[in-house]
């Protein structure tokens, strides 16, 4: 059956690679980008590789942007079967510093509430249709079990994204073919991860793609790296 995936924050980095990999597996891919022109440039490149990828404007930090996308897809009779909440920012100001509160607010607005917005927009449709996959791109920095390392605002926002994953998975438990999972991609060479990171974008995307295409008997409500469960 034809499936459509929406990947947020996909004009570069891990998200862009997830688009390539999902389209390579035969999914129709909506490449979400704040800057539609940038998104379309990347989508065009992927189309020239023979992949079914289209850019859609999406700023997950703004309710109006998510609502506009929902309206546009509804109007075109398009559904979202796979949602990859990849968009993320990495504010590094210390919490007690002059910009600490702003940094936390910004991190929560994108890394947590961005996923809340898209899940509220697209998860109910998955439940109604009885099929769907949500992948929340989190981080080991959001894991209490791994020491909640990294800058405070980022770590708190990713721990909250992990909590969101657990609670949403609980809410959709009655639909066994709707799965909600979180993933740590590892330390990846992107604008966020930097050039010294240990992993390629292909490696970073691998477990995300696995979770986005899980079979019906696959896990839900888990946190994974390299296809293995890791502690919350
Ligand atoms: P990246 O290269 O900095 O890309 C981040 C993407 O998110 C960009 O496309 C950016 O768009 C987008 N974005 C930021 N705010 C947005 C918003 N409000 N609405 C929509 N898109 C927005 O980072 P990356 O390394 O690929 O990171 C992808 C995900 O992996 C993030 O959630 C990150 O926390 C997670 N992660 C990364 C690493 C790593 O080592 N790289 C490790 C653990 C977890 P613009 O171009 O418009 O800014």
């Amino acid at each position: 059956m034809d499936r459509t995936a929406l990947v947020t924050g996909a004009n570069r980095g891990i998200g862009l690679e997830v688009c390539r990999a999902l389209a390579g597996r035969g999914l129709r891919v909506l490449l979400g980008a704040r800057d539609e022109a940038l998104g379309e440039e990347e989508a065009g490149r992927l189309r020239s590789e023979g992949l079914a990828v289209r850019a859609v404007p999406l700023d997950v930090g703004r309710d109006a942007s998510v609502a506009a996308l929902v309206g546009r897809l509804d109007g075109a009779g398009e559904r979202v079967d796979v949602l990859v909440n990849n968009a993320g920012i990495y504010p590094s100001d210390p919490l007690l510093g002059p910009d600490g509160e702003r940094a936390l607010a910004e991190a929560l607005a994108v890394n947590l509430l961005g996923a809340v917005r898209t899940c509220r927009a697209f998860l109910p449709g998955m439940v109604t249709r009885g099929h769907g996959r949500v992948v929340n791109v989190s981080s080991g920095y959001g894991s209490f079990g791994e020491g909640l390392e990294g800058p405070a605002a980022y770590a708190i926002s990713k721990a909250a994204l992990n909590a969101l994953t657990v609670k949403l998975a609980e809410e959709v438990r009655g639909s066994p073919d709707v799965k909600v999972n979180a993933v740590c991609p590892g330390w990846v060479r992107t604008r966020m991860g930097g050039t010294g990171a240990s992993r390629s974008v292909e490696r970073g995307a691998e477990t995300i793609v696995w979770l986005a295409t899980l079979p019906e008997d696959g896990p839900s409500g888990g946190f994974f790296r390299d296809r293995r469960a890791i502690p919350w």
Side-chain angles (χ1 to χ4, degrees), residues 7-17 31-35 38 57-62 65 85-90 106 109-111 114 117 136-141 154 157-158 161 183-194 197-199 201 204 208 225:
V7 184
T8 71
N11 50 291
R12 57 185 160 94
I14 296 170
L16 178 58
E17 182 55 30
L31 181 161
R34 282 196 282 201
D35 180 332
L38 256 184
L58 180 59
D59 180 342
V60 300
R62 294 196 308 116
S65 176
N85 285 311
N86 167 79
I89 57 171
Y90 188 83
E106 285 176 6
V110 178
N111 297 354
R117 288 185 185 96
N136 292 328
V137 183
S138 181
S139 166
Y141 283 0
Y154 182 78
S157 70
K158 292 297 190 181
L161 178 63
V183 56
C184 168
W187 187 25
V188 181
R189 289 188 292 280
T190 62
R191 201 176 296 176
M192 185 185 290
S198 53
R199 295 183 173 207
V201 284
I208 299 172
R225 182 190 297 118

